[in-house]
Amino acid sequence: MWEEVNAHTIVVLFACGAAMLALWLLVRFPSFGPRSLRASLIASVICVVAEQPLLSLLEAVRNSSGGGIALLFVGLPLLTMLFWSSGCLVRAAAAGRNR
């Protein structure tokens, strides 16, 4: 009945979980984070630039502690940060704030 869970399924579930965490952060703490379009764009660019070093950290943690620990403590926060900054950018664009 239960099939073996493959890597693709795990990545999809972690991405969905990170997106839900980011959405929760945006709704629960609406005053936290950039509100203007410019600041949101800068935050998004910073998150994308920080992605490469964090991916290197993900591999280092995976090699030392295992894949599950790496996904939980590096991968999930990384994806949540990317989704959160994207959500801030969409929120600012929808609100039409230019400053």
Side-chain angles (χ1 to χ4, degrees):
M1 183 169 132
W2 290 92
E3 295 180 24
E4 186 176 320
V5 178
N6 59 17
H8 178 72
T9 304
I10 292 172
V11 169
V12 168
L13 289 174
F14 263 82
C16 290
M20 295 302 289
L21 280 172
L23 180 63
W24 176 79
L25 285 171
L26 286 168
V27 172
R28 177 67 177 95
F29 304 104
S31 62
F32 179 71
R35 305 292 291 179
S36 70
L37 190 58
R38 181 178 298 145
S40 297
L41 185 60
I42 291 170
S44 294
V45 168
I46 289 171
C47 287
V48 169
V49 169
E51 181 182 2
Q52 186 60 41
L54 288 174
L55 285 175
S56 299
L57 178 65
L58 180 72
E59 187 173 341
V61 172
R62 181 182 59 98
N63 290 338
S64 66
S65 299
I69 299 294
L71 278 175
L72 186 62
F73 291 108
V74 182
L76 188 63
L78 169 66
L79 288 172
T80 303
M81 177 183 69
L82 290 170
F83 283 123
W84 175 80
S85 66
S86 299
C88 289
L89 185 61
V90 168
R91 178 179 61 190
R97 295 191 177 109
N98 292 326
R99 291 198 271 152

